[in-house]
Amino acid sequence: MAAEDSGVDARVENRDETRHRPSLETGAGGNDAGRELAADLRAAVDGDVRFDEYTRVLYATDGSIYGAQPAGVVFPRDTADVRAAMTVAADHDVPVLPRGAGSSLAGQTVGPGCVVLDLSRHMDEIREIHPDGRTAVVQPGVVQDDLDDALEPHGLRFAPDPASSNRATIGGGIGNNSTGAHSVRYGITDAYVEECRVVLADGSLIRTRDVVLDSPEWDRIVSKDSHEAEIYRTVRALVEDNADEIEERYPDLKRSVSGYNLQKVIRETADGDRVINLSKLLVGAEGTLGVVVEATLSLVTRPDETALAVYCYDDLLEALAAVPEALELEASAVELMDDEVFRLAAESAEYAEYAEPIPEGTAAALLLEFDSEVVDDLPVAVETATADLVGGGAAFDSLEAFDAAKQDRLWKLRKAAIPLLMSMDGDPKPYPFVEDASVPPTELAAYVAGFQEILEDHDTEAAYFAHAGVGTLHIRPVLNLKEGEDVEKMRAIADDVTDLVREHNGSFSGEHGDGLARTAFNPKLYGPDLWAAFQDLKSAFDPDWRMNPGKVVYRDGDPTDSRENLRYGPDYASLEPRTTLDFDDEGGFSELVELCNGCGTCRQTDGDVMCPTYRATEEEIATTRGRANLLRAAISGEIDPEELYSERFQSDVLDLCIGCKGCQSDCPTGVDLAKLKAEVKHGYHEREGVSLRERLFANVDRLASLGSTFAPVTNHATDLPGARTVLEKTIGIAPERTLPTFRRESLVEWFQQRDGPRVAPEDATAGIVLFPDTDTNYSNPEIGKAAVDVLEAADVRVAVPDLGPTGRAAYSEGLLETAAEQGRELLDDLEPYLERGWSVLFVEPSDAAMVVDEYRSLLADDRVERLAANAYGVCEYLDERRLDEDLSVDESATAGTSVTFHGHCHQKARGADHHAVGVLRRAGYAVEPVDSTCCGMAGSFGYEAEHYALSKTMGSLLREQLEASSAGRAGDGGETIVAAPGTSCRTQVGDLEGYDRPVHPVELLARGLESA
């Protein structure tokens, strides 16, 4: 079935028209050879060519410990672009490095002086799906989760399932020979790549597939005087001449991805034919042999059902000793997590809830998955496993999960292990350099015991997790690579561990490949004969050794040294800028920046919030990782530190951060870019001043007050001829955007005219201040009125005093002194209420987040913690106290209404977006929360003319999620409406064609009360 028939390529239509690129320089950076190379590449390819300083920094790192600037980056649009780029690079004799999402952990996508080919931008089509043949044809930039989503209607999936599947590309997986938790059952990527179209170093194009040796097809290929023929002849000779060494040296493991796959490139079929398939060599070659521009993949069926069981041990070695027994239970996955993972998860905003069920005292846990294609009865399979591992084994407790939601929570905990470990405070981190060696599972416990002895000898410790069922245990020694002593210790540990791996018949890498971390040790693993074969193989494919040099194999006399090209090495130093915000909790401004480990979670597009501007632009500079990399480059002197406060940095790096705070919760290491942005923008304002637009938006509460005073005249003023043009020319407001309207009577005035609260003190269950935020007070007081009605119906005594703003608008503009002044005034006004034990409630989530989160670093005031402890969203307050359960709601009026709920980004960052869902469901509404990204409005951002198009693009992505949610309930009957607590969200959705302005959840509760 072709892609156009199945709809699998129906992503964002006309993406090039909707993509918004930053105004990056395109020069080559002060180097005549570089400028000439860049010019020739631009003349040869249709895709973008970028050699500017920012781009080189953005592509200098990946998910590993390494960092080195490339010469520049090419974004090929198609195979012709790749071939042209390779030809130009050959003419200039410069190395080339193909790259996907850059989430690899061994330094495969770091190449000093290379021309990087970013294949994730344009070459991301799912070309064909053939359900009957269980195959798919894809380009290398396809994200694995996107492929699996397209395959799901056919009951199929791509078998390898790395933890990074929500951003990792198929091309990257081919390069690394990736795998995942289910390799116990399915093996690794090389088993599923059947054919490839490959561009070689000289720009020639070949197709790799099964070729029967000594057949007419074989004779036709090798009879030519061509590069392809030479490769085939060389590969066959190398395999046949080294047959004994291959048999002896290659480990007999399910997962061994070090070196080249000489053991798999020739095989014997069931018919007795000997078949060569160069695709098997390209898998795991890390882009050192050629650039895969298309791949034909074999697929597997999806089990109808699965079940998970977690077995808890009070000793790590006892858990590992149980692995062989666990493998006899027909589990499809056997994973391990240790107590360090649990501790870090419990301290993480995003993962604390997932670690909560793990029993106290668990030193290690085995996670077993069973699927219905392997076992007939899932409950019986789990019961048998529990009887063996707990009843008859060393496990002291177990957890079971049969429904998808509970299983997903446990898998999220497991998949978060790597980035969580990198979030450890301080410079010492559990670094990946020997982390994915593989040994036979029967030797795993003895191997780890030996590993622990090595750690003791080198006076350090490690974290343990991952794929115990196949003997691939990620062990990360804790080191401080900013110190020369620990860099040398890293090398010494690696030497000792590789000896230990050989002793236990293992492989130096069972998953993450060689890269800059492990290539140096391949001669030890494979011996001189196979090492020479690797060199000959490399020369056959890449005679000038320009394809991703230094990975997998190196030339004699030019060895790869794992101690070089470190992102944080002994020469690394960073400036600690003087800050207005308090960064003590993060260890300092620099420490917060350096928390980014490059894992690339911010490139995900299939769930959560982060990172909305990347989803709309597909630009690396729009990711949290990209912004953090540029901040780190500035504070470390890689680029001029004063660049932080340049107009270019503000516009290209910071202005596209919309302050959604998604990174605060979605980033596993907690890189709070919104906070970093506010601080740097403040520094910029101190140097360069503040624009009129920024001042106006920072003081929007005062403007809204004036608008209300002169309403309804102000509401019609912008309808006058030329008024919108004047607004655009003077303060940069987009003429297309719907502007707020104002009510003559504010919420505060309405409440004052009510003659006070309706609940007497003696009858009140509690007292609260309802904060009159700008929108609620002056533009949509009906929301505040609804909140008052609901709270008073719950016997809560309400006050709506005349309060100033929280400072949110000023904070978002980087005007920290203004925000602090407004915050102190608010604390003064609220102090009498807080002293009486009252709480403060917000209908606007961004204001709630301001007082709960931002005040802690903005204001040095003892009253902040008391306010934060007593500040709630309206629905949060109702839900936590279950006050809504005592309301008299007419469920016959609510039950016929389906609600699509879009939670506010700042609520999600605080983990508070679920409260409205619970309250509305108890009121009788059928509520479906949407796993949606930011609406793209983000306060003033969506009103600004320069950002309007990008804001609308983000809105269109939200629209897709809303429509998918509504489509899932088609045929339910009754009314379907969208509910959103955020002012910005309601504005953005209301501006979408075919959508009415959403309602606030508290308005829906009030409707039920009115009906009752």
Side-chain angles (χ1 to χ4, degrees):
M1 177 167 53
E4 55 267 30
D5 296 328
S6 65
V8 295
D9 63 343
R11 295 160 65 89
V12 179
E13 294 186 25
N14 302 316
R15 289 187 314 157
D16 292 332
E17 284 70 25
T18 60
R19 182 176 293 126
H20 307 276
R21 296 181 174 85
S23 55
L24 293 175
E25 295 179 358
T26 54
N31 177 314
D32 288 342
R35 281 191 289 270
E36 185 177 342
L37 171 61
D40 288 351
L41 284 168
R42 289 192 191 98
V45 304
D46 290 333
D48 287 351
V49 175
R50 299 183 188 168
F51 275 58
D52 63 281
E53 183 179 48
Y54 282 11
T55 298
R56 295 197 304 273
V57 169
L58 292 170
Y59 285 82
T61 58
D62 53 12
S64 73
I65 62 177
Y66 295 99
Q69 287 195 16
V73 182
V74 177
F75 302 89
R77 289 186 172 276
D78 50 29
T79 298
D81 267 4
V82 175
R83 298 186 68 183
M86 298 290 278
T87 301
V88 171
D91 291 342
H92 286 262
D93 192 27
V94 296
V96 177
L97 191 166
R99 173 171 167 137
S103 57
S104 55
L105 295 172
Q108 289 93 335
T109 56
V110 172
C114 288
V115 171
V116 172
L117 304 181
D118 184 344
L119 303 170
S120 70
R121 172 67 56 77
H122 303 294
M123 299 184 68
D124 59 353
E125 291 183 18
I126 301 172
R127 291 285 179 83
E128 300 173 11
I129 293 176
H130 301 282
D132 294 339
R134 294 185 184 176
T135 62
V137 180
V138 303
Q139 290 186 307
V142 172
V143 173
Q144 174 154 347
D145 277 3
D146 292 343
L147 173 61
D148 284 340
D149 288 345
L151 295 172
E152 185 173 13
H154 309 291
L156 301 172
R157 60 182 290 267
F158 187 52
D161 57 341
S164 56
S165 62
N166 62 1
R167 69 268 191 198
T169 62
I170 296 296
I174 290 173
N176 287 359
N177 203 356
S178 295
T179 179
H182 293 86
S183 55
V184 166
R185 181 178 176 196
Y186 295 113
I188 58 180
T189 295
D190 58 38
Y192 301 94
V193 179
E194 307 301 333
E195 296 187 12
C196 293
R197 295 180 73 224
V198 186
V199 177
L200 300 177
D202 61 0
S204 60
L205 179 68
I206 64 172
R207 183 171 70 92
T208 62
R209 71 280 186 199
D210 278 354
V211 176
V212 178
L213 293 177
D214 300 321
S215 67
E217 184 179 17
W218 167 262
D219 293 338
R220 179 182 59 79
I221 293 172
V222 299
S223 64
K224 297 178 181 179
D225 182 18
S226 67
H227 192 179
E228 180 182 26
E230 175 62 22
I231 290 171
Y232 272 98
R233 289 192 294 264
T234 300
V235 170
R236 179 176 184 175
L238 290 173
V239 173
E240 292 177 348
D241 293 348
N242 292 280
D244 292 341
E245 280 291 289
I246 290 172
E247 177 68 23
E248 179 182 347
R249 284 282 186 171
Y250 277 87
D252 183 18
L253 299 167
K254 286 193 174 184
R255 296 163 62 129
S256 176
V257 303
S258 284
Y260 291 121
N261 277 338
L262 288 176
Q263 84 283 26
K264 295 180 178 180
V265 68
I266 295 177
R267 72 184 193 281
E268 187 170 320
T269 68
D271 298 330
D273 291 328
R274 293 182 69 230
V275 174
I276 187 171
N277 190 332
L278 298 182
S279 305
K280 307 302 179 182
L281 273 181
L282 293 162
V283 180
E286 301 182 4
T288 62
L289 303 181
V291 181
V292 175
V293 292
E294 187 177 274
T296 300
L297 310 174
S298 55
L299 310 170
V300 297
T301 54
R302 292 172 179 260
D304 291 332
E305 294 181 277
T306 58
L308 274 182
V310 176
Y311 297 97
C312 305
Y313 296 80
D314 56 18
D315 182 81
L316 172 67
L317 294 181
E318 286 185 348
L320 295 172
V323 170
E325 184 178 0
L327 290 172
E328 296 176 2
L329 297 168
E330 296 186 294
S332 298
V334 180
E335 298 287 291
L336 180 132
M337 296 175 283
D338 80 343
D339 53 358
E340 187 65 11
V341 173
F342 301 143
R343 181 185 70 81
L344 290 169
E347 295 173 357
S348 162
E350 183 178 7
Y351 295 102
E353 60 179 300
Y354 306 132
E356 201 171 287
I358 303 299
E360 187 176 348
T362 302
L366 291 178
L367 184 152
L368 275 62
E369 181 182 272
F370 301 91
D371 75 60
S372 57
E373 291 186 343
V374 177
V375 299
D376 294 329
D377 191 317
L378 292 175
V380 169
V382 171
E383 183 180 344
T384 301
T386 302
D388 288 354
L389 299 179
V390 179
F396 71 85
D397 203 349
S398 65
L399 307 171
E400 298 176 358
F402 291 94
D403 68 86
K406 288 183 179 179
Q407 292 180 52
D408 182 60
R409 292 166 70 86
L410 290 171
W411 276 121
K412 281 187 174 180
L413 179 62
R414 160 60 193 88
K415 289 186 175 185
I418 290 176
L420 275 172
L421 288 167
M422 294 306 292
S423 71
M424 286 178 59
D425 292 337
D427 288 333
K429 305 282 187 191
Y431 281 116
F433 59 96
V434 289
E435 65 144 2
D436 63 331
S438 287
V439 298
T442 53
E443 301 197 33
L444 192 55
Y447 166 72
V448 170
F451 203 118
Q452 289 179 330
E453 291 179 5
I454 292 172
L455 295 174
E456 290 174 7
D457 290 343
H458 292 283
D459 192 28
T460 188
E461 56 186 3
Y464 304 79
F465 65 100
H467 317 296
V470 286
T472 304
L473 197 62
H474 296 333
I475 308 178
R476 294 188 164 206
V478 177
L479 298 171
N480 179 4
L481 296 184
K482 293 180 181 179
E483 296 181 356
E485 181 181 350
D486 275 17
V487 172
E488 294 305 317
K489 186 183 291 188
M490 176 181 74
R491 174 68 186 222
I493 291 173
D495 266 329
D496 291 347
V497 168
T498 51
D499 289 338
L500 182 68
V501 171
R502 287 287 313 280
E503 179 184 330
H504 288 280
N505 306 302
S507 169
F508 297 163
S509 178
E511 180 171 15
H512 296 147
D514 296 324
L516 295 172
R518 282 180 286 273
T519 293
F521 301 102
N522 277 338
K524 182 188 291 189
L525 177 63
Y526 290 106
D529 293 340
L530 287 182
W531 180 249
F534 288 173
Q535 292 174 321
D536 291 343
L537 177 68
K538 169 73 170 173
S539 294
F541 274 89
D542 179 18
D544 297 321
W545 285 59
R546 290 186 302 98
M547 293 300 303
N548 202 7
K551 320 305 190 317
V552 184
V553 66
Y554 54 79
R555 281 176 164 163
D556 292 338
D558 187 21
T560 300
D561 191 331
S562 60
R563 294 166 293 187
E564 296 178 353
N565 296 308
L566 294 171
R567 189 191 313 189
Y568 301 113
D571 296 331
Y572 178 88
S574 62
L575 303 171
E576 184 62 36
R578 178 180 59 83
T579 62
T580 297
L581 296 175
D582 184 351
F583 286 87
D584 286 350
D585 286 346
E586 295 87 357
F589 181 96
S590 298
E591 178 80 9
L592 181 55
V593 171
E594 293 169 7
L595 274 179
C596 176
N597 58 49
C599 68
T601 305
C602 41
R603 288 177 61 107
Q604 66 180 330
T605 60
D606 60 349
D608 297 327
V609 176
M610 186 178 72
C611 184
T613 46
Y614 170 75
R615 298 181 189 205
T617 65
E618 296 186 356
E619 290 279 358
E620 177 69 20
I621 200 171
T623 63
T624 302
R625 175 175 73 178
R627 297 181 184 110
N629 273 331
L630 285 163
L631 284 167
R632 177 182 49 78
I635 63 175
S636 67
E638 186 177 354
I639 63 177
D640 184 353
E642 285 301 307
E643 186 71 15
L644 275 180
Y645 308 109
S646 69
E647 178 61 35
R648 180 172 71 148
F649 201 94
Q650 301 301 309
S651 61
D652 289 350
V653 182
L654 295 184
D655 281 357
L656 294 190
C657 169
I658 57 177
C660 68
K661 296 169 66 74
C663 49
Q664 184 179 342
S665 57
D666 296 349
C667 173
T669 58
V671 181
D672 189 347
L673 218 293
K675 181 175 180 179
L676 292 167
K677 172 192 174 180
E679 182 62 56
V680 177
K681 282 190 73 68
H682 177 70
Y684 173 77
H685 291 321
E686 286 187 324
R687 288 164 173 78
E688 304 296 332
V690 184
S691 69
L692 174 62
R693 183 183 67 194
E694 288 168 325
R695 288 194 185 279
L696 290 174
F697 279 124
N699 292 282
V700 67
D701 191 75
R702 190 173 302 168
L703 290 176
S705 175
L706 289 172
S708 175
T709 299
F710 295 104
V713 174
T714 46
N715 296 330
H716 302 297
T718 56
D719 295 331
L720 296 174
R724 300 304 294 264
T725 301
V726 171
L727 286 175
E728 181 181 15
K729 297 293 185 184
T730 55
I731 55 177
I733 292 182
E736 305 92 337
R737 177 65 72 186
T738 299
L739 296 177
T741 56
F742 303 102
R743 301 291 181 85
R744 185 62 179 270
E745 182 184 62
S746 70
L747 175 66
V748 170
E749 291 169 343
W750 167 82
F751 190 82
Q752 290 172 343
Q753 292 170 10
R754 292 174 79 230
D755 299 324
R758 292 289 190 266
V759 179
E762 61 273 15
D763 298 327
T765 57
I768 68 97
V769 173
L770 183 68
F771 179 76
D773 64 87
T774 301
D775 179 78
T776 305
N777 195 27
Y778 299 115
S779 294
N780 290 290
E782 64 276 5
I783 298 174
K785 296 174 184 178
V788 171
D789 289 345
V790 170
L791 290 164
E792 290 184 338
D795 292 330
V796 175
R797 187 171 172 85
V798 179
V800 186
D802 188 6
L803 300 171
T806 61
R808 164 59 67 190
Y811 184 93
S812 298
E813 298 293 343
L815 300 179
L816 299 184
E817 291 175 355
T818 300
E821 181 181 349
Q822 292 173 345
R824 283 189 290 270
E825 290 176 358
L826 183 60
L827 282 172
D828 290 341
D829 291 340
L830 290 176
E831 186 170 10
Y833 296 97
L834 293 171
E835 287 182 346
R836 290 158 56 190
W838 284 35
S839 298
V840 184
L841 270 56
F842 299 85
V843 295
E844 174 54 47
S846 61
D847 282 310
M850 183 69 187
V851 302
V852 171
D853 289 340
E854 275 69 52
Y855 275 14
R856 288 189 165 105
S857 57
L858 178 67
L859 300 172
D861 193 312
D862 293 339
R863 297 173 296 176
V864 167
E865 288 302 326
R866 183 168 60 175
L867 173 57
N870 292 282
Y872 304 88
V874 172
C875 291
E876 179 183 5
Y877 185 82
L878 293 169
D879 186 39
E880 287 194 355
R881 288 157 178 74
R882 287 297 195 269
L883 297 178
D884 59 292
E885 294 178 352
D886 297 327
L887 297 177
S888 177
V889 176
D890 183 0
E891 292 193 9
S892 66
T894 61
T897 302
S898 296
V899 179
T900 299
F901 177 74
H902 166 65
H904 193 283
C905 301
H906 291 177
Q907 283 183 321
K908 294 175 182 178
R910 296 199 303 117
D913 56 311
H914 64 284
H915 295 294
V917 176
V919 170
L920 290 176
R921 283 175 175 168
R922 289 194 295 273
Y925 292 103
V927 186
E928 181 174 357
V930 183
D931 185 10
S932 52
T933 185
C934 179
C935 70
M937 194 67 187
S940 66
F941 185 88
Y943 287 104
E944 297 165 7
E946 63 184 299
H947 295 139
Y948 175 77
L950 177 55
S951 173
K952 291 295 289 183
T953 301
M954 287 188 276
S956 70
L957 297 177
L958 173 59
R959 178 180 186 145
E960 291 177 11
Q961 294 165 317
L962 294 174
E963 290 177 348
S965 173
S966 298
R969 292 182 291 162
D972 288 350
E975 181 187 13
T976 301
I977 59 176
V978 178
T983 302
S984 294
C985 310
R986 295 193 299 274
T987 300
Q988 181 77 294
V989 175
D991 277 359
L992 296 176
E993 185 178 351
Y995 278 83
D996 295 327
R997 185 180 174 92
V999 298
H1000 193 287
V1002 78
E1003 293 181 277
L1004 292 176
L1005 291 177
R1007 287 186 193 179
L1009 292 177
E1010 291 170 5
S1011 298

